[in-house]
Amino acid sequence: MAKYDFQVNVCNETETLVLGRKIADGIDFPIIITLVGELGAGKTTLTRGMLRQLGHLGHVKSPTFSIVEMYEILSLQIAHFDMYRITDEQELEFLGFKEYFDTADFIVIEWPNRISGLDFSIDIEITITIKNNSRDLILKSRSDRGSLVLKKLKSKILR
Ligand SMILES: Nc1ncnc2c1ncn2[C@@H]1O[C@H](COP(=O)(O)OP(=O)(O)O)[C@@H](O)[C@H]1O
Ligand SMILES: [Mg+2]
């Protein structure tokens, strides 16, 4: 399958939430998405949009301190990681990081670059760049499953 690689710009927080909803709407589980971008880029905001679309009504807490927040939405197990504070891989082992890959249907990882030593397969990699209030997002598929999601997303955005 063709690899998808495209860029979108979102002008405010609401647009980021809507984009998150559109991404989630096309997902076939299980799926792993990584979110790259500096503090305040909108990684947690995008995740909030995705979780809302899947039916989560409550708060979406940034996992900066807890490292991982788990959600159960209908029968979906969702793990939202923030690796910002991870300094060595032993911390992740302690958290049972690898087990999440066996049990979760949807894994979102903010700051994946902090755990470069670990080997796991990514379906979609999203990089967010800050431009004042607007954000440039580059979405790249890393698997056939990821390509399908982005293909559907692209048709929704261009429509
Ligand atoms: N276009 C935009 N998309 C997302 N967030 C935006 C945007 N413009 C401004 N913001 C603000 O930037 C911050 C993003 O925070 P957050 O999603 O927690 O970032 P991160 O998880 O990348 O650190 C929020 O305070 C939000 O209101
Ligand atoms: Mg965050």
Side-chain angles (χ1 to χ4, degrees):
M1 150 137 342
K3 288 276 181 263
Y4 277 81
D5 180 346
F6 67 100
Q7 193 167 336
V8 287
N9 179 268
V10 282
C11 293
N12 54 47
E13 186 170 350
T14 305
E15 278 191 22
T16 301
L17 289 168
V18 170
L19 182 67
R21 281 183 175 272
K22 285 178 180 165
I23 294 168
D25 196 36
I27 290 178
D28 260 328
F29 300 100
I31 201 143
I32 300 172
I33 298 180
T34 58
L35 302 175
V36 176
E38 61 185 275
L39 280 176
K43 303 181 294 298
T44 300
T45 305
L46 191 71
T47 305
R48 185 175 295 130
M50 293 193 281
L51 294 178
R52 290 261 182 280
Q53 183 64 24
L54 297 174
H56 177 68
L57 300 174
H59 189 59
V60 175
K61 194 174 155 222
S62 172
T64 314
F65 294 99
S66 56
I67 312 294
V68 62
E69 292 290 333
M70 280 299 296
Y71 298 86
E72 195 175 332
I73 306 173
L74 299 173
S75 59
L76 286 179
Q77 298 290 330
I78 301 170
H80 177 200
F81 284 92
D82 186 334
M83 302 304 185
Y84 186 66
R85 291 174 67 253
I86 293 291
T87 50
D88 68 80
E89 276 133 36
Q90 269 179 352
E91 284 177 64
L92 283 177
E93 222 162 278
F94 183 71
L95 281 169
F97 182 69
K98 285 188 186 129
E99 279 87 278
Y100 283 94
F101 287 81
D102 299 326
T103 54
D105 302 288
F106 184 19
I107 297 179
V108 181
I109 306 177
E110 298 187 34
W111 293 100
N113 28 332
R114 301 267 162 159
I115 52 162
S116 54
L118 285 180
D119 176 39
F120 56 93
S121 64
I122 298 167
D123 296 295
I124 300 173
E125 181 183 87
I126 301 176
T127 305
I128 311 176
T129 312
I130 302 181
K131 299 259 171 85
N132 299 317
N133 270 340
S134 92
R135 305 287 191 265
D136 280 339
L137 286 91
I138 296 171
L139 303 100
K140 287 186 182 176
S141 67
R142 296 270 209 95
S143 71
D144 286 352
R145 192 174 278 272
S147 294
L148 264 178
V149 176
L150 293 191
K151 188 180 173 185
K152 286 189 232 171
L153 177 68
K154 205 170 188 175
S155 71
K156 270 177 236 162
I157 288 175
L158 296 179
R159 196 162 48 213

